[in-house]
């Protein structure tokens, strides 16, 4: 214990020293980000990385927001905390971000470029600079209170740390403290060795000057108590989906065991109820769709099934809205699980059984009628509400709210609020998922950057690391840190045995385990241990280096040793997650993996990185709305941009759109945008263009473009792929054979051109999901349901007598579009659901001198065939990847998803980046999306490109090739293998020898494999290092 | 009661995965929780083209029951020089050599798996694991002791620098497509070149390796190395000519270098 405290104290000392290095806090910054959830964090990081000083203000005691409470994220089931917490650390270590937690904004004065913000810092009763996070006070505190982080499902103390990865990692004291109530206890003060407890703290007013404000206050979950009819709060075994997230989580109330509240037993029969608080016009409910609940429910079902294999699950739903990238497959995955049943039915909660405390649900099915069934646990899939204090918030910031109580935004710029200089990101715009929140954060970063472009870099400073210790003369001293990753690793791999085993390996002088190696405190503890134990090599046995290596390398730098003395043993993605049923074998494999890693680590050499210049120009591929906006955003901040379009004019798909559901005049907007793009001095538009070659790498690309102007080579530092998508040409339903059958885009055109035949139709049938949600195109095209509503309402406004039928599978009018679905329904548009195996039939018929299209469909309510005689049929045709995507992907060396859309670097947290550095993505090239979503993403991609272009240099890896001249035989094999031109001959006293230009070397190591004598070697992946791993792999 | 329980054979497969595609596919496979047998031991390299012939031989020499190489799909390599073509050439060459040193070439497998193909990674692992399991521990399907295989593989490893030179000079693949590679390595022309350029050297390398360990009477060599006596005689002649081997006082052959 004493030792821990000592170390903790030392850490506190360092933090203070580190603080001193930060810019002098004269309460003056560039941007204030209000709300420290994932969106706020991303906005702060992007801004800080583009040369702005940021205040990140959060009202709770830590940053993290709702995402930190989630167990996993859909549709990949990535561990939520695992992917979010590295961002906490990044914020904490970023010298240009000042994190202010437990702080609220009281007043905002001034205007864009010059705001004065008054903050109210609530008393934590803890001196943040003194608290080491040792939690001795928590141990001694006698007062137990429901833990807000765990949705009050477990108890915590009146003094506690909000959650174990919190940033800042210090305690706070809740109002329930006995001293605060009546001064009857001050045990914590007695036990704190650092005198960090300070009951004299009072609310503190702080004034801060900033140029721009980003609002990211997030959302609240719907409280089912508001409507008394769900039994929440009265029946113990009715929980909300957020409660259930905590129950699933290894850091939750029962360490990841799903135990129901009444008797703390495993439930084996669980019901989920969809749309709780959403799509309801009855008092207390929200009229809109909350957009995320369908997918998160499926996630919970999959995870619960994983926890309790014999689980019986029933999911009562309305439409299944799997409209996002890979959501459709995710739904199929949940639906196919044994014992899982999705039932389309309205439900009501019946009663609580007096003995078992089970809860009954009444529902109805077409075959069996109304039923009442008992469940051991009921989960309410609650929707998303505006932040609880949205009204007060809007008053303080002087921004207007929309009719749903979320922030009112500009339809052509969803990042702008009604007050200039104040931007918005995340779910305060309206219900949305994590990637959309992240995208809008980068977009808000880009727009703030535009406003403050003249002051970029004025207040910021570089990060300073301790001097690197020279350990080359020392023997290898390896430290092994094994991560439990909550239960992700710990539940499968025997972690204590693995730690024990690690200690027996050669060169290992220290081994320990942690719950989350990536938590802020653990990363700091690793850094301290490296110093305390004099470690010179580090192995972290945890997850994949592809996401977490940068974080741990940084930890080594913090500890003053070379960052290349690090190796990651991937015992999660490559072990516990893929061998979850074979615990003994998985443990053996984990031991092998660690042994290989230790062998490798022992041989690693220190390497130094170097800087490459960044060409400040950008190339944008695709001149649609997405491409034009991202190009203009970059140009307006002073960066030369080349906008390459394959057609002869800018505009892309938007040229065929005339109005949006919200009533925007698309053509007027588009023409204005085109004019701006063509006219901007720094936007060079190249139409009729084909890209024939792309060479180079981040910061230094050379792209060859062929156009009517001839062939030109463009040098640029960043590239944005915005190549859009296309409308599927149907082969179904007589399309192409009968002119009365058209696509939705053609219908829109007909409406705008006032096509008489069309507008005088007595009856018009729309068929949804044409060409998608089927085997060969297993995704939802996202935009067609709202698109159909848009055209149906337009037709009704032109000819209200027209009978309009919409034949659909699930109406996916997610978010605020739901209101238009309701409106269409109230204006007598008829909706008929069909099953995929029983699609409608369209026939051209001539009867009684009248020619029409007969559409036959099975009505599921009536259970019989229905024939509709229509004058026109509109097909909601799929959105398909644009032709040429494959070429673009190949040229830029970026991947496509199985559906043919471009594949981003990380579905959740890097939604507009590619894994290949310096290349970004936006618009429908990524996945079908609405115009406003495209606009938001285009700003986001530009924002991400700015994090690169605003720097003069980019750091290149130290893992490059080198030549041992003494054994080079001048055969030239290496030279011919390297198409980067990184290798050449140079004259030496002993003749010509190969020499490598490290700036051009990309570290693929092909030359190493070609060199007959081993003279050329790839650093960090040398033959000896690989042999060491091979030998260790087979030494078990 | 004493009961002999036949322990299940659990192979060890060494996998060389490129960082950008196959390693990412393996990660996605994990994220998606697709299950596969726990036999693979992964070594992450930046490019499948970094896999050296000697890595493959080393793995088998140390007793790997299978070796897996995973790269990006052809023409999708993250790197401009398209190292996955090198991986393809190396694998086809390695298979040929493995065949001659007596390791079942089916123990070596190359696959293209993108970072988006988590399912395919699992499927490939399930399939390859089953294949290796059916072949049994290294040496069983070969009907040769692992130590013997190891010494032959060492001989092959000794030859790798030479193979690299020969490949560059004489064994260039004319067409850069998967089909082109497979046709070339399957052609009679290649077999002829392989036999002439590499196979003889491989046998000589084995004889040298054998003689380096201990002096042996000439007549015992063919039997010990399981080679044709007339072939051995031809090689011994050449090796003596080059002064690489000589007779010691006891009329045993020894390696001179």
């Amino acid at each position: 214990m004493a030792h821990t405290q000592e170390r903790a104290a030392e850490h506190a000392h360092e933090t203070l020293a580190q603080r001193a290095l930060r810019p002098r806090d004269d309460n003056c910054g560039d941007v204030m980000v209000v709300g420290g959830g994932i969106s706020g964090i991303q906005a702060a990081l992007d801004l800080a990385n583009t040369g702005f000083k940021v205040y990140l203000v959060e009202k709770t005691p830590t940053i993290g927001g709702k995402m930190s409470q989630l167990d996993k994220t859909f549709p990949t089931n990535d561990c939520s905390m695992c992917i979010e917490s590295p961002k906490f650390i990044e914020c904490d270590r970023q010298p240009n971000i000042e994190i202010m937690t437990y702080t609220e904004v009281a007043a905002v004065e001034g205007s864009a470029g010059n705001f004065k913000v008054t903050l109210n810092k609530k008393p934590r009763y803890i001196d943040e600079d003194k608290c080491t996070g040792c939690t001795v006070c928590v141990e001694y505190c006698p007062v137990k209170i429901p833990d807000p982080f765990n949705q009050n499902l477990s108890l915590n103390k009146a003094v506690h740390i909000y959650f174990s990865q919190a940033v800042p990692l210090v305690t706070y004291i809740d109002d329930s403290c006995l001293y605060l109530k009546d001064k009857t206890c001050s045990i914590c003060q007695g036990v704190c060795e650092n005198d960090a407890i300070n009951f004299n703290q009072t609310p503190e007013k702080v004034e801060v000057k900033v140029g721009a404000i980003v609002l990211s206050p997030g959302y609240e979950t719907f409280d089912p108590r508001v409507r008394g009819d769900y039994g929440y709060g009265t029946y113990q075994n009715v929980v909300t989906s957020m409660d259930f997230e905590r129950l699933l989580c290894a850091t939750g109330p029962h360490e990841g065991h799903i135990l129901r509240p009444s008797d703390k037993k495993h439930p084996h029969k669980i019901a989920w109820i969809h749309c709780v608080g959403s799509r309801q016009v009855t008092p207390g409910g929200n009229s809109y769709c909350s957009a995320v609940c369908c997918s998160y429910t499926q996630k919970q079902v999959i995870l619960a099934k994983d926890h309790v294999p014999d689980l019986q699950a029933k999911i009562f739903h309305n439409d299944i809205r799997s409209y996002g990238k890979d959501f459709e497959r995710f739904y199929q995955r949940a639906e196919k699980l044994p014992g899982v049943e999705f039932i389309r039915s309205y439900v009501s909660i019946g009663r609580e059984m007096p003995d078992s405390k089970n809860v009954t649900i009444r529902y109805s099915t077409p075959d069996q009628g109304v039923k009442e069934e008992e469940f051991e646990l009921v989960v309410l899939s609650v929707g998303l509400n505006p932040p609880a204090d949205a009204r007060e918030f809007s008053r303080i910031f002087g921004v207007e709210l929309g009719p749903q109580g979320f922030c009112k935004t500009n339809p052509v710029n969803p990042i702008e609020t009604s007050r200039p200089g104040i931007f918005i990101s995340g779910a305060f715009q309206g219900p949305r998922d994590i990637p959309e929140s992240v995208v809008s954060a980068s977009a808000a970063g880009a727009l703030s950057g535009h406003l403050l472009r003249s002051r970029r870099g004025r207040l910021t400073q570089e990060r300073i690391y301790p001097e690197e210790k020279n350990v080359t003369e020392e023997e290898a001293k390896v430290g092994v840190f094994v991560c439990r990753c909550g239960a992700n690793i710990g539940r499968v791999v025997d972690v204590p045995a693995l730690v024990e085993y690690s200690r027996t390996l050669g060169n290992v002088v220290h081994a320990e385990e942690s719950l989350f190696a990536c938590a802020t405190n653990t990363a700091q503890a690793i850094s301290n241990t490296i110093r305390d134990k004099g470690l010179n090599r580090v192995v972290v046995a945890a997850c994949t280096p592809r996401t977490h290596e940068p974080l741990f390398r940084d930890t080594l730098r913090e500890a003053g040793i070379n960052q290349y003395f690090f190796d990651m043993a991937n015992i999660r993605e490559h072990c516990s997650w893929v061998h979850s049923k074979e615990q003994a074998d998985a443990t053996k494999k984990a031991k092998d993996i660690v042994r290989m890693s230790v062998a490798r680590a022992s041989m690693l050499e220190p390497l130094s990185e170097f800087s490459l210049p960044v060409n400040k120009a950008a190339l944008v591929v695709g001149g649609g709305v997405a491409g034009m906006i991202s190009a203009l955003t970059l140009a307006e901040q002073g960066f030369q941009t080349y906008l390459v379009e394959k057609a002869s004019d800018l505009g892309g798909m938007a040229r065929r759109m005339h109005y949006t559901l919200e009533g925007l005049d698309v053509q007027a907007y588009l023409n204005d945008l085109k004019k701006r793009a063509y006219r901007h001095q720094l936007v060079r538009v190249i139409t009729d263009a084909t890209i024939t070659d792309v060479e180079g790498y981040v910061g230094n690309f050379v792209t060859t473009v062929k156009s009517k102007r001839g062939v030109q080579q463009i040098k640029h530092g960043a590239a944005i792929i915005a190549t859009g998508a296309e409308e599927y040409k149907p082969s179904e339903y007589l399309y192409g054979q009968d002119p009365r059958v058209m696509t939705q885009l053609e219908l829109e055109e007909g409406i705008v051109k006032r096509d008489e035949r069309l507008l005088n139709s007595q009856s018009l049938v729309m068929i949804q999901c044409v060409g998608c949600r089927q085997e060969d195109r297993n995704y939802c095209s996202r935009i067609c349901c709202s698109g159909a509503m848009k055209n149906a309402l337009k037709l009704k406004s032109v000819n209200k007598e027209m009978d309009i039928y919409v034949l659909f599978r699930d109406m996916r009018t997610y978010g605020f579009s739901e209101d238009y679905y309701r409106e269409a329904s109230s204006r007598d548009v008829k909706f008929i659901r069909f099953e995929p195996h029983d699609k409608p039939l369209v026939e051209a018929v001539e009867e009684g001198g009248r020619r029409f299209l007969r559409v036959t469909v099975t009505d599921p309510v009536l259970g019989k065939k229905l024939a509709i005689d229509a004058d026109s049929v509109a097909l909601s045709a799929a959105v398909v990847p644009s032709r040429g995507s494959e070429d673009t992907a190949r040229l830029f060396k970026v991947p496509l998803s199985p559906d043919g859309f471009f594949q981003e670097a990380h579905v959740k947290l890097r939604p507009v980046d590619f894994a290949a550095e310096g290349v970004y993505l936006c618009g429908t090239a990524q996945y079908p999306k609405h115009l406003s979503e495209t606009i938001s993403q285009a700003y986001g991609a530009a924002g991400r490109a700015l994090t690169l272009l605003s720097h003069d240099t980019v750091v290149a890896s130290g893992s490059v090739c080198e030549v041992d001249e003494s054994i080079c035989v001048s055969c030239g094999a290496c030279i011919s293998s390297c198409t980067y031109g990184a290798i050449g001959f140079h004259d030496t006293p002993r003749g010509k020898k190969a020499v490598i230009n490290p700036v051009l070397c990309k570290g693929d190591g092909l030359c190493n494999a070609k060199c007959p004598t081993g003279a050329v070697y790839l650093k960090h992946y040398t033959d000896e290092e690989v042999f060491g791993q091979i030998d260790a792999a087979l030494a078990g | 009661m004493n009961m002999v329980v036949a322990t299940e054979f659990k192979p060890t497969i060494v996998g060389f995965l490129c960082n950008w595609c196959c390693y990412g596919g393996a990660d996605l496979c994990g994220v998606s929780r697709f299950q596969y047998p726990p036999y693979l031991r992964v070594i992450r390299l930046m490019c499948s083209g970094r896999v050296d012939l000697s890595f493959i031989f080393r793995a088998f020499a140390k007793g790997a029951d299978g070796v897996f190489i995973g790269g990006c799909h052809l023409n999708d390599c993250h790197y401009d020089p398209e190292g996955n073509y090198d991986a393809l050439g190396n694998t086809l060459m390695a298979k040929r050599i493995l065949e001659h040193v007596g390791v079942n070439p089916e123990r070596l497998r190359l696959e293209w798996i993108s970072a988006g193909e988590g399912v395919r990674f699992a499927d490939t692992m399930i399939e390859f694991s089953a294949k290796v399991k059916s072949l049994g521990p290294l040496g069983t399907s070969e009907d040769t002791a692992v130590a013997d295989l190891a010494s032959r593989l060492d001989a092959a490893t000794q030859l790798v620098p030479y193979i690299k030179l020969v490949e560059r000079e004489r064994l260039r693949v004319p067409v850069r497509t998967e089909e082109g590679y497979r046709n070339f390595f399957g052609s009679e022309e290649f077999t002829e070149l392989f036999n002439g350029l590499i196979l003889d050297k491989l046998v000589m390398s084995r004889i040298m390796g054998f003689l380096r360990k201990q002096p042996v009477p000439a007549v015992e060599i063919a039997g010990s190395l399981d080679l044709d006596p007339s072939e051995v005689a031809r090689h011994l002649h050449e090796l003596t000519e080059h002064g690489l081997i000589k007779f010691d006082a006891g009329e045993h052959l020894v390696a001179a270098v």
Side-chain angles (χ1 to χ4, degrees), chain B:
Chain B
M1 195 174 74
N2 251 338
M3 239 174 67
V4 182
V5 182
T7 46
E8 188 199 355
F9 165 50
K10 291 179 176 170
T12 304
I13 299 170
V14 175
F16 300 98
L17 313 190
C18 86
N19 177 64
W20 304 96
C21 295
C22 195
Y23 196 95
D27 280 353
L28 180 62
C29 177
V31 168
S32 321
R33 312 295 196 280
F34 299 126
Q35 306 289 303
Y36 57 86
Y39 309 141
L40 183 74
R41 301 295 178 265
V42 172
I43 294 173
R44 180 169 74 122
L45 296 171
M46 285 299 121
C47 182
S48 57
R50 173 71 186 89
V51 179
D52 201 290
L53 283 175
S54 57
F55 295 175
I56 302 169
F57 300 152
R58 176 79 153 227
F60 284 119
K62 295 281 177 175
D65 304 299
V67 170
F68 176 80
I69 301 169
C72 305
H73 286 273
L74 287 174
N75 306 322
D76 283 348
C77 179
H78 178 77
Y79 296 105
D80 188 65
E82 301 188 297
N84 45 5
Y85 277 101
D86 291 344
L88 177 57
N90 265 339
T91 304
L92 294 170
M93 175 66 89
K95 276 178 178 281
R96 187 63 72 98
I97 295 170
L98 288 176
E99 204 179 320
H100 283 281
V101 298
V103 173
N104 190 330
E106 288 190 81
R107 293 186 185 274
L108 172 62
R109 175 137 177 201
L110 170 72
E111 282 291 340
W112 316 128
I113 296 174
S114 83
E117 295 177 320
V119 191
R120 226 171 79 75
F121 185 83
D123 289 346
T124 306
M125 280 310 127
I126 290 166
E127 212 183 294
F128 188 48
S129 300
K131 177 82 220 171
V132 173
K133 249 186 149 169
S134 75
L135 296 175
L138 181 71
T140 47
S141 74
E142 289 80 1
D143 202 16
T144 313
V146 175
D148 284 341
L149 291 177
S151 72
R152 293 183 205 171
L153 285 158
D154 284 342
T157 306
Q158 295 294 324
L159 215 58
V160 169
Y162 170 76
I163 296 171
K164 286 182 182 178
L165 280 174
V166 168
E167 264 194 312
R168 184 152 177 269
E169 300 291 325
R170 304 286 300 276
L171 296 174
R172 290 221 175 159
V173 185
V175 195
R176 209 166 164 80
T177 61
E178 175 143 25
E179 206 191 353
Y181 269 68
R182 295 204 183 275
N183 287 347
F184 175 74
F185 281 95
S187 68
E188 284 198 11
E189 180 201 356
F190 173 76
T191 306
E192 221 165 89
L193 286 166
F194 180 85
N195 290 346
L197 295 167
I198 295 173
L199 197 52
D200 275 0
K201 291 281 190 296
L202 190 59
V203 177
M204 283 192 254
S205 179
R206 281 183 63 195
I207 296 172
M208 289 291 295
F210 186 60
L211 295 179
R212 269 196 206 103
K213 279 189 214 143
Q214 75 277 316
V216 179
V219 288
E220 286 181 16
I221 294 174
S224 301
L225 294 180
D226 196 16
L227 292 168
D228 174 38
S230 68
E231 194 190 354
V232 171
R234 182 166 59 85
H235 291 310
L236 290 180
H237 179 73
E238 196 176 329
L239 288 168
T240 331
E241 293 252 293
H242 286 94
L244 293 169
I245 55 171
K246 59 183 183 191
F247 285 95
D248 68 359
E251 292 293 295
H252 285 66
L253 276 170
V254 293
V257 284

Side-chain angles (χ1 to χ4, degrees), chain A residues 678-694:
Chain A
Y678 279 122
R679 283 184 186 170
H680 200 288
Q681 281 184 330
L682 290 176
V683 179
R684 278 272 302 281
V685 178
I686 309 168
T687 52
D688 298 299
T690 321
I691 294 177
T692 55
D693 189 37
V694 182

Side-chain angles (χ1 to χ4, degrees), chain A residues 5 17 30 60 92 128 198 203 263 271 274 276 503 601 644 648 700 801 877 887-888 954 1005 1008 1015 1020:
Chain A
Q5 277 176 20
D30 294 309
T60 73
D92 195 39
E128 282 188 42
N198 178 3
D263 52 12
H274 271 213
V276 173
R503 293 200 177 108
V644 179
S648 54
N700 300 277
E801 302 304 321
D887 293 334
T888 312
V954 57
N1008 189 344
H1020 212 53

Side-chain angles (χ1 to χ4, degrees), chain A residues 434-540:
Chain A
I434 292 167
E436 289 172 291
S437 300
V438 170
V439 165
S440 59
S442 296
L447 289 166
S448 312
H450 178 227
L451 177 66
L452 306 174
R453 59 194 181 280
S454 60
R455 50 200 269 189
R456 191 190 296 280
R458 273 200 349 217
L459 298 173
T460 52
Q461 67 165 51
E462 293 291 307
R463 179 109 177 268
I464 297 163
Y465 292 96
E467 203 180 327
E468 204 172 285
K469 204 170 112 191
N470 183 355
V471 297
T472 42
E473 299 302 312
E474 293 177 10
E475 272 179 46
K477 284 189 273 181
V478 184
V480 179
F481 298 86
V482 182
C483 178
R484 287 186 161 269
C485 194
N488 285 305
I489 292 168
R491 201 169 55 186
V492 177
V493 171
D494 182 346
V495 170
L498 182 56
V499 171
E500 222 21 76
Y501 175 76
S502 305
R503 293 200 177 108
T504 67
L505 296 168
N507 298 321
V508 172
V509 297
H510 176 80
E512 64 175 49
E513 65 169 79
S514 61
L515 189 59
F516 285 103
C518 57
T520 325
N521 54 333
T522 319
Q524 258 153 9
I526 291 174
S527 194
N528 292 337
T529 308
I530 293 170
R531 238 175 282 132
D532 294 350
K533 308 255 174 193
L535 303 179
N536 56 28
R537 303 288 191 283
V538 175
V539 168
V540 172

Side-chain angles (χ1 to χ4, degrees), chain A residues 91-131:
Chain A
C91 280
D92 195 39
R93 291 179 179 173
Q94 166 56 261
N96 303 317
I97 297 178
E98 184 83 20
I99 300 173
M100 305 175 91
T101 52
Y102 225 35
T103 301
E104 286 181 88
V105 175
V108 179
E109 293 166 66
S111 57
N114 195 11
F115 289 109
K116 191 175 84 183
V117 185
T118 310
L119 298 165
N120 210 346
K121 205 165 163 30
K122 291 179 271 184
R124 286 180 102 98
Y125 303 108
I126 299 290
D127 192 333
E128 282 188 42
D129 289 338
K130 287 184 182 167
C131 177

Side-chain angles (χ1 to χ4, degrees), chain A residues 926-967:
Chain A
Q926 185 254 351
Y927 193 69
K929 52 180 62 75
H930 288 288
L931 192 63
S932 61
E933 294 168 335
T934 290
I935 294 170
S936 183
Q937 218 184 22
Y939 283 119
R944 295 295 301 152
L946 284 166
T947 61
L948 169 66
L949 296 174
S950 60
H951 292 272
D952 295 329
T953 56
V954 57
V955 175
S957 164
S959 172
V960 290
C961 295
E962 209 162 83
V963 179
D964 176 357
E965 286 184 1
S966 67
I967 50 174

Side-chain angles (χ1 to χ4, degrees), chain A residues 183-387:
Chain A
K183 305 199 173 162
T184 52
C185 166
S186 59
I187 295 176
C188 53
Q189 255 181 334
V191 297
C192 179
E193 293 193 1
N194 265 13
D195 287 331
I197 315 276
N198 178 3
F199 285 116
N200 297 325
Q201 276 185 359
T202 50
E204 203 184 322
K205 271 209 179 344
V206 186
E207 276 185 8
V208 175
K209 287 185 182 138
V210 289
I213 297 172
V214 175
L215 301 181
S216 52
Y219 64 92
E220 281 308 325
T221 49
F222 175 79
D223 183 358
R225 284 188 196 90
V226 175
R227 295 168 48 113
D229 49 355
Y230 288 108
Y232 186 69
T234 47
Y235 300 161
Q236 284 185 69
N237 292 323
V238 177
V239 299
T240 67
S241 42
M242 191 52 111
D243 300 340
F244 197 72
E245 270 320 308
R246 296 313 303 151
L247 286 173
L248 282 168
C249 192
T251 59
H254 312 301
E255 281 83 40
H257 294 286
I258 305 174
L259 305 179
R260 63 178 196 158
S262 71
D263 52 12
K264 307 286 181 285
K265 284 189 178 149
H266 280 292
H268 295 271
K269 195 172 171 200
I270 307 181
W272 274 264
I273 301 177
H274 271 213
C275 299
V276 173
S278 311
R279 305 184 64 183
Q280 294 172 334
V281 277
T282 43
N286 296 319
S287 66
Y288 54 85
C289 158
S290 291
V292 294
C293 325
C294 283
S295 294
Y296 80 55
T297 301
Q298 290 148 20
K299 172 193 75 181
Q300 295 191 340
V301 171
I302 293 169
L303 295 172
K305 190 76 191 164
D306 204 36
H307 283 247
V308 187
D310 65 347
L311 178 75
Q312 296 294 311
K314 287 203 164 121
I315 301 92
F316 299 101
H317 63 89
N318 189 348
D319 300 286
I320 293 289
R321 295 190 163 167
S322 301
Y323 58 87
K325 195 172 188 170
D326 261 339
F327 290 7
E328 189 75 27
R329 286 194 181 84
F330 194 62
Y331 166 47
Q332 288 157 0
R333 182 172 155 199
E335 198 196 11
K336 279 181 195 145
L337 290 170
V340 171
E341 209 181 325
F342 280 77
I343 299 167
R344 191 184 295 266
S345 169
Y346 287 104
V347 297
S348 61
I349 296 277
R351 59 211 158 95
E352 185 184 58
M353 308 306 281
D355 298 332
S356 65
K357 300 285 177 193
N358 288 351
V359 178
T360 67
I361 288 181
R362 272 190 298 273
Y363 64 100
S364 71
T365 60
D367 335 327
Q368 296 169 325
V370 178
K371 281 177 77 170
E372 182 159 357
E373 193 174 341
E374 212 175 302
F375 292 91
E376 291 168 49
L377 183 70
V378 173
V379 184
L380 306 176
S381 295
V382 290
L384 274 48
N385 272 18

